[in-house]
Amino acid sequence: MPAPSLAVSRETDIAVVGAGAAGLYAALCAAREHASVVLVSATPLAQTASYWAQGGLAAALAPDDSAELHLRDTELAGRGLVRRSAAEILVADAPDCVRDLQALGVRFDADSSGGLALGLEGGHSVRRVVHAGGSATGRRVVRQLSALVAAEPRIAVLEGARARALWRSHERCAGLICDDGQIIAAGAVVLGTGGAAAMWARTTNPPGSQGVGLLLAHQVGADLADLELLQFHPTAVIGIAGREGFLVTEAIRGEGATLHDSAGERFVDELAPRDEVSRAIQARLLQSGEQSVGLDMRAVDPAHFPNVVSALRDAGLDPTRELIPVAPAAHYTMGGIVADLHSQSTLPGLYAVGESSCTGLHGANRLASNSLSECFVFARRAVAHALAEPAPARQAPSITELQQLSELPAPPIGNAATRDALWRDAGIVRSADGLQRLLDNPHPLVRAIARCALTRTESRGAHQRSDHPQRDPSLDGRHVVVHNGPHAGAEELLTSAEQIDWQAWT
Ligand code: SIN
């Protein structure tokens, strides 16, 4: 790494870290308000988790739908832990975000009369999910937003740059330092760095989903929450070289695909919420000793899901003739950086959007396709709030302050041993024994996940404890929050019991 120059390299109104759906949209929303933006993206634009997203955006758009119904489904799926105020915002604003994306040039799939085609997914009581290119929604949306970002003169894109540490100054987030030593001074920083599901051995996520934003935020004192709540997607391809973890979208079950055990029997309502379907599959696998169950999509029109069908064919599977071997895989981090209803973290000036954030919206089990909607609804709110704040007077940082900033360590990345440990000890079903083992893991986020999971002595949604198999009603609406002091250092994450507490968010 080149030696940092110890001088501010750029000044901007808003610095956005991460170029997934939430980050790109935040950057565009800020530019629309005539703000200057620096967008920091570690990966080329096409490699974010959003680009991989096969699901769509859930929005109450159908004549037989309403915000109230969407809210009810979100709360039912979330198993008594959904923060109602956040979910109300999501369901009210999602339709408008769909329209805004259309205005920005995203072409969603149409039905035969030219209206939006609405798909059905698990946990939704009506058809409510808009897609683009069938199961290529993430790719289509991210491509279009990336093109707009690239053409927008108010947005400077630092592609290939990595945020190494956030800059805390005068009790707020004042910017960040990149791994090449560039220091960016910003009125506000928006983290859209995605989740941590690639820290588990079997995952649907790209390798970059390592919870880096969570560590960056925590290092400067922002709270994290609900790290025990990791959603396992029921239908990831398993046992096929080169396609391990490939997601077969739930929308395919919405169009009639069915799940079968080794005896050929159906064993679960395929459109139940994800926690229920994943658990049912896991139970069958334990019973049979097999690695996978079969997904029968022979009755589904392959033309509706071209990228899934062609990926399966490339792997030597013909979904029009045979069952696809699937099993649950780590998919989505419901926990993350504690964020209020404007996406602001507990450190003023620092915002978290999309999967890196935890507003409490998803409770203990996210409703399918609420996550892309969340990216847009809450990224827009983050930017509106950040720009409405009176701009803090920028003070020239002292050499000592810059020196401290340049010495902050980069967040650690998990390795194969970490991934195996999380899969084994913090998998679909966990218990105190395995979780205790994780407390000695060298990776600070693994330890934090274990501490949260040990704290939640119950089974709820995605968090199933074999030693506490029941839901504890006294924990309804209560979130596990992880505190840290400023500049405590990622390595010090959760070294003492006092740093965890329970909070109820309204
Ligand atoms: C899927 O299409 O099944 C995944 C989308 C999501 O995670 O909501």
Side-chain angles (χ1 to χ4, degrees):
M1 188 191 77
S5 64
L6 292 192
V8 169
S9 331
R10 288 170 186 264
E11 289 201 22
T12 185
D13 294 323
I14 306 274
V16 178
V17 183
L24 291 166
Y25 191 64
L28 286 169
C29 289
R32 277 203 294 219
E33 297 302 319
H34 309 288
S36 60
V37 182
V38 171
L39 174 62
V40 178
S41 174
T43 54
L45 295 187
Q47 283 178 24
T48 61
S50 305
Y51 185 84
W52 286 31
Q54 292 179 21
L57 282 84
L61 290 157
D64 62 344
D65 200 1
S66 65
E68 290 71 32
L69 258 189
H70 188 181
L71 178 66
R72 196 196 66 178
D73 292 345
T74 300
E75 288 192 306
L76 271 177
R79 311 300 187 199
L81 206 59
V82 167
R83 182 187 194 172
R84 174 166 292 180
S85 54
E88 281 171 346
I89 289 170
L90 178 91
V91 300
D93 290 2
D96 189 52
C97 280
V98 170
R99 289 188 281 272
D100 190 36
L101 289 169
Q102 288 179 299
L104 290 172
V106 175
R107 299 237 303 268
F108 290 110
D109 298 341
D111 61 19
S112 52
S113 54
L116 283 170
L118 296 172
L120 186 64
E121 294 184 7
H124 290 274
S125 52
V126 295
R127 289 188 168 266
R128 175 182 290 142
V129 183
V130 293
H131 289 98
S135 41
T137 311
R139 184 181 307 178
R140 293 275 181 96
V141 172
V142 165
R143 249 193 216 151
Q144 178 63 12
L145 298 186
S146 299
L148 294 172
V149 161
E152 171 54 64
R154 289 193 182 86
I155 305 175
V157 182
L158 306 186
E159 207 180 50
R162 228 167 252 283
R164 186 153 61 79
L166 296 175
W167 174 13
R168 178 177 171 132
S169 179
H170 299 91
E171 301 312 309
R172 58 179 288 124
C173 186
L176 66 134
I177 183 166
C178 295
D179 57 359
D180 61 1
Q182 282 199 75
I183 294 173
I184 299 161
V189 174
V190 179
L191 293 177
T193 45
M199 291 184 71
W200 275 254
R202 190 191 300 158
T203 180
T204 62
N205 281 210
S209 302
Q210 294 280 340
V212 164
L214 279 59
L215 290 168
L216 288 171
H218 203 66
Q219 191 174 45
V220 287
D223 290 347
L224 308 180
D226 292 347
L227 300 180
E228 74 283 16
L229 299 175
L230 186 281
Q231 181 168 69
F232 295 88
H233 193 288
T235 55
V237 169
I238 176 95
I240 304 293
R243 280 292 164 202
E244 210 56 27
F246 178 76
L247 183 86
V248 183
T249 176
E250 190 156 318
I252 289 184
R253 278 177 278 135
E255 295 307 317
T258 48
L259 286 163
H260 299 263
D261 64 13
S262 52
E265 299 297 325
R266 284 177 72 182
F267 55 91
V268 66
D269 168 5
E270 286 85 356
L271 287 176
R274 278 183 194 164
D275 56 345
E276 206 175 316
V277 183
S278 289
R279 259 196 324 277
I281 295 176
Q282 179 76 353
R284 285 288 145 146
L285 297 182
L286 286 175
Q287 247 172 33
S288 68
E290 314 252 326
Q291 266 215 316
S292 58
V293 295
L295 180 70
D296 186 352
M297 48 187 282
R298 287 173 296 184
V300 176
D301 182 353
H304 286 162
F305 302 98
N307 61 335
V308 172
V309 170
S310 80
L312 293 175
R313 287 201 168 125
D314 287 351
L317 295 165
D318 184 351
T320 61
R321 299 165 72 94
E322 61 190 319
L323 270 53
I324 306 303
V326 293
H331 180 62
Y332 187 87
T333 318
M334 267 111 34
I337 303 162
V338 172
D340 66 15
L341 299 180
H342 301 286
S343 310
Q344 188 164 223
S345 76
T346 53
L347 178 65
L350 178 63
Y351 294 77
V353 293
E355 197 176 345
S356 61
S357 69
C358 178
T359 60
L361 157 61
H362 304 301
N365 178 50
R366 175 174 64 83
L367 184 67
S369 287
N370 265 357
S371 49
L372 263 186
S373 305
E374 177 196 24
C375 285
F376 302 112
V377 167
F378 282 89
R380 190 160 76 173
R381 290 177 70 82
V383 166
H385 190 264
L387 294 177
E389 268 199 317
R394 291 227 180 103
Q395 294 167 6
S398 68
I399 285 292
T400 321
E401 201 178 16
L402 293 179
Q403 184 76 43
Q404 278 172 355
L405 177 63
S406 68
E407 285 167 4
L408 285 174
I413 300 291
N415 55 23
T418 327
R419 290 194 287 277
D420 288 343
L422 273 175
W423 183 258
R424 185 188 60 233
D425 292 331
I428 298 168
V429 181
R430 18 343 247 274
S431 70
D433 288 351
L435 294 169
Q436 296 278 359
R437 261 197 302 274
L438 293 179
L439 295 178
D440 296 326
N441 195 283
H443 196 295
L445 199 51
V446 172
R447 295 196 300 274
I449 290 165
R451 287 293 286 278
C452 290
L454 281 164
T455 302
R456 189 172 285 286
T457 48
E458 63 161 352
S459 287
R460 180 188 295 268
H463 174 70
Q464 295 296 314
R465 294 263 313 245
S466 57
D467 49 348
H468 292 279
Q470 304 303 327
R471 178 158 145 186
D472 176 354
S474 74
L475 298 181
D476 281 358
R478 295 177 72 80
H479 302 266
V480 180
V481 177
V482 183
H483 305 285
N484 204 10
H487 296 278
E491 281 311 313
E492 287 156 62
L493 185 55
L494 272 194
T495 48
S496 74
E498 302 77 60
Q499 289 173 315
I500 263 198
D501 71 23
W502 289 101
Q503 285 180 9
W505 301 336
T506 48

